[in-house]
């Protein structure tokens, strides 16, 4: 049983991290935890980087009777300014935030806020993404969740990029990325290297 799911005193801050590849259900898990807090009468808010406009979190949650307000922010410092009078803060797509996010979430937790962060742990080249590695270290609780490999059905850890491009940030969905397990990721990498060298 997860310590942080058993009950949480308002005045006791904490940092929870939900990490994993694309299509692993990180946002769903974040929303599940936030909805439960909302039902308990806690004041809840979601922050996401304004870089990510693919979908509107507010719209996603507004189908629910317990809609959770969400605010796009341009940088981590805005979260501190906007997070007054909130008991539980959700931060989605944390990999796109600046390094300042680490001290922001630490300050919030020290002030008694329960902070729940969701983000991609690795980029398409399996490198730690943005502030995620350090967030992993400072979090009280870390959950690494998995997608399913589209090739073989095993657990997938990696977000394989299907289109060309070396830049770390390329927003995309199913057309641009596939969740793959280690074996299938390496197979694909090998094949794409071979085709480049032809
Ligand atoms: Zn596989």
């Amino acid at each position: 049983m997860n310590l942080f799911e058993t009950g949480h005193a308002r005045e006791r801050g904490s940092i929870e991290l939900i990490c994993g590849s694309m299509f692993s259900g990180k946002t769903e898990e974040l929303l599940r935890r936030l909805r439960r807090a909302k039902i308990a009468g806690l004041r809840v808010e979601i922050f996401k980087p304004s870089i990510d406009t693919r979908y509107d979190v507010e719209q996603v949650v507004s189908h629910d009777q317990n809609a959770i307000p969400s605010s796009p922010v341009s940088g981590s410092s805005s979260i501190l300014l906007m997070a007054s009078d909130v008991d539980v803060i959700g931060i989605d797509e944390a990999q796109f935030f600046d390094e300042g996010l680490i001290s922001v979430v630490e300050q919030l937790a020290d002030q008694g806020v329960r902070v729940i962060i969701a983000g991609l742990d690795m980029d398409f080249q399996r490198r730690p993404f943005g502030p995620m590695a350090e967030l992993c270290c400072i979090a009280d609780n870390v959950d690494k969740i998995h997608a399913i490999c589209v090739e073989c059905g095993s657990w997938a850890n990696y977000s394989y990029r299907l289109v060309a491009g070396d830049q770390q940030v390329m927003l995309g969905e199913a057309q641009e990325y596939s969740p793959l397990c280690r074996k299938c990721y390496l197979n694909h990498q090998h094949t794409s290297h071979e085709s480049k060298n032809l």
Side-chain angles (χ1 to χ4, degrees):
M1 169 116 22
N2 184 336
L3 172 70
F4 296 92
E5 297 281 284
T6 55
H8 192 89
R10 254 167 235 241
E11 64 277 9
R12 200 180 309 146
S14 63
I15 303 167
E16 295 161 51
L17 186 71
I18 304 158
C19 66
S21 68
M22 292 180 72
F23 313 105
S24 60
K26 299 180 298 295
T27 301
E28 284 103 309
E29 177 58 22
L30 174 68
L31 292 175
R32 187 185 74 84
R33 294 186 194 183
L34 292 174
R35 282 201 196 98
R36 294 165 77 239
K38 176 97 181 176
I39 289 164
L42 297 173
R43 292 161 299 178
V44 171
E45 183 149 3
I46 298 178
F47 295 96
K48 59 172 188 166
S50 47
I51 180 181
D52 187 7
T53 52
R54 285 171 301 169
Y55 67 99
D56 186 348
V57 173
E58 197 156 16
Q59 232 172 14
V60 173
V61 295
S62 64
H63 298 301
D64 196 282
Q65 291 222 318
N66 288 294
I68 298 166
S70 87
S71 312
V73 289
S74 56
S76 61
S77 53
S78 310
I79 299 177
L80 271 186
L81 296 173
M82 295 168 73
S84 55
D85 295 329
V86 181
D87 301 305
V88 184
I89 285 177
I91 298 172
D92 200 12
E93 303 288 356
Q95 76 278 359
F96 292 141
F97 275 100
D98 51 282
E99 294 292 323
L101 186 64
I102 295 143
S103 68
V104 165
V105 301
E106 209 153 43
Q107 279 182 63
L108 288 165
D110 289 350
Q111 289 163 18
V113 176
R114 177 184 175 195
V115 185
I116 312 171
I117 306 161
L120 273 175
D121 46 5
M122 288 176 275
D123 67 7
F124 74 106
Q125 291 180 312
R126 307 191 294 177
R127 295 172 301 196
F129 208 146
M132 290 298 289
E134 275 192 73
L135 290 170
C136 221
C137 298
I138 64 159
D140 301 76
N141 177 268
V142 178
D143 284 298
K144 181 146 175 162
I145 58 175
H146 301 87
I148 300 296
C149 176
V150 295
E151 302 274 315
C152 73
S154 319
W155 278 13
N157 269 342
Y158 308 120
S159 311
Y160 183 78
R161 185 181 284 175
L162 301 165
V163 292
D166 284 336
Q167 69 270 39
Q168 189 180 38
V169 177
M170 184 193 276
L171 298 177
E173 282 297 337
Q175 301 87 338
E176 286 88 15
Y177 293 94
S178 276
L180 294 178
C181 71
R182 183 182 302 273
K183 188 165 168 276
C184 297
Y185 180 93
L186 294 174
N187 279 347
H188 269 265
Q189 218 179 25
H190 185 66
T191 321
S192 80
H193 274 298
E194 274 184 349
S195 61
K196 262 186 211 160
N197 294 333
L198 283 176

